[in-house]
Amino acid sequence: MATTRSAHTVWEGNLLEGNGVVTFDSSGAIGDQPVSWPSRAEEAKGKTSPEELIAAAHSSCFSMALSHGLAGAGTPPTRLVTSADVTFQPGEGITGIHLTVEGTVPGIDDDAFTAAAEDAKANCPVSQALKAVPITLSAKLA
C-alpha cells in the first residue's frame, strides 16, 4: 500500500529578510521548525534548513535500506549509526551529499559491509530521488 507524508511551510517576507515555519503534518512527531535564508546559507542559529531536512530523510532511509539488505544476507546489524552531510552552495544549489555509516554487524567483514552500504546508497528510495546530486559514502565496522 502506498503512503503519502505531508509537511507545509508558511513563509513571510522576502527571501533575505523573511522567515518561515515548517510543520510536519503527517506525524506531528517533530514540532514546528523555523527556517530562514541566513539559517540556510550561513549559520543555523537554532533554525533548520531544507538541506538539514534532506539529511535527516537520507540518513534514516539509508539506515533502513542497509539494515534490510544486511538482514537479507543473513547478517542482521546490531547497530548502525549513519550521518548525512548535505552541502548547499548559494547560487548553485545542493552540490553533494556524503553519507557516513558505522555498523556493528556480527559475522561480516569490512568488504562485505562496504558492499552492502554501497548497495543501500544506490538503492534506498531517498538516494533514488536525489540521484541528480553526487552522493558519496564512507562505511566502516565499529
Side-chain angles (χ1 to χ4, degrees):
M1 174 188 295
T3 58
T4 300
R5 300 294 184 249
S6 302
H8 77 275
T9 300
V10 176
W11 186 268
E12 296 179 350
N14 65 34
L15 174 63
L16 298 180
E17 297 165 359
N19 60 71
V21 175
V22 177
T23 301
F24 297 83
D25 299 322
S26 300
S27 68
I30 302 170
D32 290 353
Q33 295 297 308
V35 296
S36 69
W37 177 255
S39 70
R40 184 178 195 184
E42 300 167 16
E43 293 296 318
K45 295 185 180 176
K47 297 181 181 179
T48 193
S49 68
E51 291 72 29
E52 185 177 40
L53 298 170
I54 290 169
H58 205 175
S59 66
S60 60
C61 183
F62 171 86
S63 294
M64 290 179 199
L66 180 54
S67 175
H68 182 66
L70 290 166
T75 54
T78 302
R79 180 178 166 96
L80 299 171
V81 178
T82 304
S83 63
D85 298 310
V86 177
T87 301
F88 173 74
Q89 179 63 47
E92 290 182 49
I94 295 172
T95 58
I97 300 169
H98 185 73
L99 298 168
T100 303
V101 62
E102 181 174 278
T104 303
V105 187
I108 198 170
D109 65 18
D110 288 328
D111 290 341
F113 182 69
T114 298
E118 287 288 350
D119 185 67
K121 177 189 79 143
N123 295 303
C124 89
V126 172
S127 288
Q128 289 292 306
L130 299 172
K131 61 184 167 186
V133 177
I135 302 170
T136 56
L137 172 70
S138 298
K140 69 176 184 176
L141 291 171

